[in-house]
Amino acid sequence: MSIERLENWGMPSTAETEVMVASRKRPFIIAGPCSAETPEQLLATCRALAHTGINALRAGIWKPRTRPNSFEGVGEVGLKWFKQVRDELGIPIATEVATATHVELALKYGVDILWIGARSTVNPFTVQEIADALRGVDIPVIVKNPLNPDLALWIGGLERIANAGITKLAAMHRGFSTFEKTQYRNLPMWQMAIELRSQMPDLPLFFDPSHTGGKREFIYPLSQKALDLDYDGLMIESHIDPDNAWSDAAQQVTPARFAEILSELKIREVTSDNVEFQNALEELRGKLDLIDRELVELLASRMKIVEKLGQYKRENNVAVFQVDRWIKVFQSRPEWGEKMGLNKDFVGHIFKLIHDESIRIQTAKVSD
Ligand code: PEP
Ligand code: MN
């Protein structure tokens, strides 16, 4: 799969003020309203954002809404407003496409960047339909993660678009929907994006704090976390009058607040040339290597004992899994961890994995 870096997306940088001072690459920032509502709302929002140093604007024209009879986007007419915005401000503009017709219309009106929403990425038929409509076109496409935490589905969506010949391709992490109620609208599950990055290291990775958090107060902390994890860009919803937005009112910020958030974000350096820093880093990493080796050795000794235990249980005709024992293990280990300053859930997760492996080892011997 051939992927061009963001710098090659060929869009002019509109940075009038260097709001993000960085010795390394500056994140690619997309901002704009959840939806284009009226020509006035769109233009006023985009004008106010144009001075904040963003790389691209966003606005939804076709809105996937959970329930019918809510505002479902203005449709094709909004694309005419886009043209006015671009003519006046000269900033590329992005919108969501979910059908082949959306793609055709977006291309007809010269939309600069397309994204595929979370509700579309879940469906390979939809992604393939979009991919087919994009064949032979040179336009940046961003694929948001699917609603459910399924990395293969996300990668599959990216591959379908790449196979259509799109090289200006990026992924956008917008969190995953969960049954369980949390403070966020969608659970970040950062490890999913980290895993995507390790499998596709050349793919630019964006983060959408607005749809992940679902509330304006989460935009800043979630964006900072994404930058700390070395994401390449952010997409943030901003509306000239957020409280009266026709969609996603709770998660949009005014352009003024958006500018403030941008100026407060810190871009961490991935590496530093400072020799002292490099030496300290090497030393600490060396210590971690030793500890990791010990951890693996300890796990190996543990599993040897598990094997013996399994054999013993078999000889005495006792079931492999004894619930009482594991209830005790699952209780005591996280408690030990907590006393030593570790996160209880983290220790619980580790012992869940250890338990699965212990059962596997004991039952594997039975079926030999
Ligand atoms: C959006 O960005 O407007 C949107 C609908 O996002 P998502 O697909 O992430 O829900
Ligand atoms: Mn939205």
Side-chain angles (χ1 to χ4, degrees):
M1 183 186 300
S2 136
I3 292 168
E4 291 185 33
R5 297 294 304 170
L6 279 179
E7 302 84 77
N8 303 330
W9 276 22
M11 287 175 290
S13 164
T14 55
E16 288 174 6
T17 47
E18 258 316 295
V19 284
M20 291 204 174
V21 185
S23 57
R24 55 180 290 257
K25 68 173 197 251
R26 188 178 168 279
F28 192 98
I29 308 290
I30 305 174
C34 177
S35 305
E37 298 164 4
T38 65
E40 296 75 29
Q41 166 262 1
L42 182 67
L43 202 59
T45 307
C46 294
R47 276 186 185 142
L49 289 168
H51 303 289
T52 59
I54 53 172
N55 301 85
L57 290 157
R58 65 149 282 154
I61 292 292
W62 300 283
K63 299 303 300 176
R65 304 307 299 277
T66 305
R67 304 282 300 271
N69 306 322
S70 35
F71 170 62
E72 291 187 325
V74 293
E76 185 173 350
V77 68
L79 296 171
K80 297 184 181 148
W81 312 340
F82 272 25
K83 186 169 159 14
Q84 197 187 344
V85 167
R86 210 176 320 93
D87 288 349
E88 181 182 319
L89 303 171
I91 305 178
I93 187 157
T95 203
E96 172 174 350
V97 287
T99 66
T101 310
H102 294 168
V103 174
E104 281 150 26
L105 285 170
L107 294 173
K108 177 173 145 197
Y109 286 91
V111 174
D112 305 278
I113 303 171
L114 305 178
W115 83 78
I116 296 177
R119 290 160 194 78
S120 301
T121 312
V122 286
N123 186 347
F125 288 132
T126 300
V127 180
Q128 194 55 52
E129 177 186 323
I130 296 170
D132 292 341
L134 283 168
R135 203 167 287 283
V137 178
D138 179 30
I139 189 170
V141 180
I142 304 174
V143 180
K144 287 193 163 198
N145 65 253
L147 291 174
N148 53 323
D150 183 339
L151 184 59
L153 200 53
W154 195 2
I155 292 178
L158 288 156
E159 285 170 342
R160 285 177 197 277
I161 301 301
N163 289 347
I166 295 291
T167 56
K168 290 168 185 151
L169 184 64
M172 187 174 299
H173 175 199
R174 48 77 80 201
F176 299 88
S177 96
T178 54
F179 179 64
E180 142 207 19
K181 283 270 155 277
T182 71
Q183 60 176 335
Y184 299 127
R185 181 175 174 189
N186 292 291
L187 260 194
M189 303 178 87
W190 298 98
Q191 72 280 9
M192 295 283 297
I194 291 168
E195 184 55 32
L196 175 73
R197 169 142 274 181
S198 66
Q199 291 196 32
M200 304 176 84
D202 295 332
L203 185 76
L205 180 60
F206 282 84
F207 182 65
D208 175 343
S210 310
H211 289 91
T212 303
K215 292 207 185 81
R216 24 189 105 113
E217 69 256 33
F218 294 133
I219 293 180
Y220 169 73
L222 286 172
S223 299
Q224 185 62 62
K225 169 112 185 174
L227 295 185
D228 291 349
L229 291 170
D230 198 32
Y231 279 55
D232 301 282
L234 300 169
M235 181 159 89
I236 297 177
E237 285 190 339
S238 174
H239 189 289
I240 197 71
D241 181 10
D243 288 333
N244 292 305
W246 296 3
S247 57
D248 287 350
Q251 70 190 36
Q252 303 202 60
V253 284
T254 60
R257 175 62 194 140
F258 167 78
E260 223 169 71
I261 290 173
L262 273 197
S263 68
E264 285 163 8
L265 288 173
K266 284 187 194 59
I267 303 170
R268 318 255 192 235
E269 296 189 27
V270 180
T271 56
S272 160
D273 295 336
N274 182 319
V275 178
E276 215 171 295
F277 166 81
Q278 285 294 354
N279 289 344
L281 201 69
E282 294 273 296
E283 193 189 322
L284 291 171
R285 285 190 172 148
K287 284 187 183 162
L288 288 182
D289 287 347
L290 283 176
I291 292 177
D292 288 349
R293 171 122 208 134
E294 279 172 33
L295 279 175
V296 175
E297 281 167 6
L298 283 173
L299 282 173
S301 342
R302 190 187 198 284
M303 293 309 168
K304 284 229 164 60
I305 296 176
V306 163
E307 245 181 84
K308 258 194 204 148
L309 185 69
Q311 203 179 349
Y312 201 62
K313 281 182 192 163
R314 263 197 315 282
E315 283 164 14
N316 289 280
N317 211 17
V318 172
V320 162
F321 177 62
Q322 275 135 354
V323 73
D324 296 356
R325 159 77 185 159
W326 276 97
I327 288 175
K328 274 190 205 130
V329 171
F330 283 137
Q331 249 166 20
S332 58
R333 276 56 169 173
E335 280 168 15
W336 296 347
E338 198 178 27
K339 285 202 184 104
M340 296 178 207
L342 289 172
N343 177 328
K344 236 178 144 173
D345 292 342
F346 162 67
V347 180
H349 281 311
I350 290 181
F351 276 91
K352 166 86 179 64
L353 290 174
I354 291 178
H355 178 234
D356 289 350
E357 181 60 5
S358 303
I359 296 283
R360 191 191 67 78
I361 287 175
Q362 295 181 53
T363 49
K365 290 286 161 194
V366 171
S367 57
D368 275 353

